[in-house]
Amino acid sequence: MTTIYTIIGFALAGYSVIANDSIQTLGTFIASKQKWFKWYTLASAASFVMILAITWGWYSNAGDISYGRLTRIPFQEIQWYHAVAPGILLVLTRIGIPVSTTFLVLSAFASTVVLEKMLMKSVVGYGLAAVAAYICWIVVSKFINEKFDEVEDKWIGFWRNSVWVTSAWLWWVWLSHDVANIAVYLPRQIDVNLLLIVLAYFTALLFYIFYINGGTIQKVVLDKTGTRYARSATIINVIYAAVLYYFKELNDLPMSTTWVFVGLLCGRELAISSMNKDYKFKYVFPLIGKDFLKMTIGLTVSVAIVLAIHYIIIPNNWF
């Protein structure tokens, strides 16, 4: 049964992570490029970067594709409740809730102490991303009206090409964080054969997500001002990637990239509304509040899972 639970957990986690969290990084890329390129061209580009990133992580970390993010969460024999966590995430994803995969999936494996540290790091990430985005867009708004796509013709090619470069960098950095949410179901060191299976499965998932143009969760990105535009997408990518890279180098503790992403969009919308008299706060706060409420729902479910496992399921031998 353990093998079955491992397969189910890995398959569900893989789909849930790619369908949910990947939109944080690929959402602006899809929104800004789907008008100009076929979905399979975009999927091929994303898959190429993914293969490079995961293969490099596997090579440089002695077979560990999680980039060392799971050093505080030792490998465990997979039980039924481990497989249930990504199933819950899948349901929430289908109804368009941007849940933190890190909390929801890793909570089934982590101790309460590790979960608390993950939460604190994620809260700091949310705040740092919001402040960085706010300051950046206050400066940007001095020169650019983000409410409209007012780009001079001579700069159009630059911004369109920048999306490709910055999206690739962000996608790589994000994978170094969130692939741990899938790798937690696998041995900490995997062989070449298992690596090829992982890459093939992830590639198939990416092609499906691009085929459906990001799915329901893509609406979180499209609701935000200007995210369909190459210039806006580039600026979002740079700030998000920089914040994620900082926390990647800070320590090996997993964190919620979802919280960082929503914090970034929050700070950006507040800055745009502060500088644009036609874009009032009354339009911004419902968007921010809705996203924060959805994150809170995900966090509540995550805490409930870890408490149930450590205080009900394991003590009563319900496995």
Side-chain angles (χ1 to χ4, degrees):
M1 290 298 290
T2 299
T3 302
I4 295 177
Y5 292 146
T6 300
I7 295 173
I8 294 175
F10 172 77
L12 289 177
Y15 178 79
S16 298
V17 168
I18 297 299
N20 185 69
D21 278 13
S22 67
I23 296 304
Q24 302 165 14
T25 58
L26 299 176
T28 52
F29 177 65
I30 294 173
S32 63
K33 290 297 183 184
Q34 63 183 359
K35 180 180 178 180
W36 309 101
F37 295 91
K38 298 292 186 181
W39 67 268
Y40 48 80
T41 302
L42 301 178
S44 298
S47 297
F48 177 71
V49 175
M50 179 272 296
I51 290 172
L52 288 180
I54 293 181
T55 302
W56 174 251
W58 174 83
Y59 173 78
S60 60
N61 292 276
D64 180 12
I65 63 173
S66 74
Y67 278 80
R69 297 284 136 197
L70 298 175
T71 55
R72 307 192 193 195
I73 304 177
F75 178 71
Q76 303 172 33
E77 185 176 294
I78 307 301
Q79 304 294 338
W80 64 267
Y81 49 82
H82 293 125
V84 167
I88 296 174
L89 175 62
L90 181 59
V91 172
L92 295 177
T93 298
R94 295 294 293 177
I95 59 178
I97 296 180
V99 181
S100 169
T101 308
T102 301
F103 289 144
L104 200 53
V105 173
L106 296 188
S107 63
F109 296 86
S111 65
T112 53
V113 174
V114 172
L115 182 63
E116 180 182 356
K117 292 180 178 179
M118 287 164 49
L119 176 59
M120 290 305 299
K121 185 176 180 180
S122 301
V123 170
V124 173
Y126 177 91
L128 180 61
V131 171
Y134 185 83
I135 294 174
C136 178
W137 262 280
I138 286 292
V139 175
V140 168
S141 296
K142 295 287 186 179
F143 308 96
I144 299 173
N145 186 344
E146 276 279 281
K147 185 68 175 174
F148 305 99
D149 191 23
E150 300 174 351
V151 179
E152 296 181 18
D153 291 342
K154 65 180 181 179
W155 290 105
I156 291 178
F158 170 80
W159 289 115
R160 287 180 178 172
N161 291 328
S162 295
V163 173
W164 289 97
V165 177
T166 58
S167 294
W169 178 41
L170 173 57
W171 182 220
W172 186 303
V173 176
W174 179 86
L175 284 168
S176 69
H177 276 277
D178 271 38
V179 77
N181 300 333
I182 308 172
V184 71
Y185 290 92
L186 303 173
R188 296 301 173 259
Q189 281 76 40
I190 64 176
D191 59 23
V192 175
N193 292 330
L194 188 51
L195 173 65
L196 293 176
I197 293 174
V198 170
L199 294 177
Y201 181 52
F202 286 5
T203 299
L205 290 175
L206 277 175
F207 268 77
Y208 172 70
I209 294 304
F210 275 87
Y211 175 72
I212 61 175
N213 293 320
T216 307
I217 207 73
Q218 174 74 343
K219 190 175 185 300
V220 175
V221 176
L222 297 179
D223 281 345
K224 306 303 182 292
T225 306
T227 51
R228 293 175 175 84
Y229 304 138
R231 182 180 57 199
S232 299
T234 298
I235 299 172
I236 290 173
N237 287 347
V238 170
I239 297 177
Y240 189 24
V243 173
L244 288 184
Y245 184 78
Y246 169 75
F247 282 104
K248 172 181 176 293
E249 297 299 315
L250 183 64
N251 56 47
D252 59 5
L253 190 69
M255 70 177 295
S256 171
T257 55
T258 301
W259 283 45
V260 175
F261 178 64
V262 175
L264 184 154
L265 293 182
C266 168
R268 176 177 178 271
E269 291 295 309
L270 286 174
I272 294 174
S273 65
S274 297
M275 300 300 294
N276 192 331
K277 62 181 181 180
D278 296 323
Y279 192 47
K280 305 297 184 182
F281 278 103
K282 66 180 180 180
Y283 302 125
V284 178
F285 281 108
L287 287 175
I288 296 174
K290 181 175 64 175
D291 289 343
F292 193 82
L293 175 61
K294 290 178 179 180
M295 287 196 314
T296 303
I297 293 173
L299 178 60
T300 302
V301 174
S302 303
V303 172
I305 288 176
V306 73
L307 293 178
I309 290 173
H310 290 289
Y311 295 101
I312 299 176
I313 296 175
I314 293 179
N316 290 283
N317 295 318
W318 290 356
F319 53 87

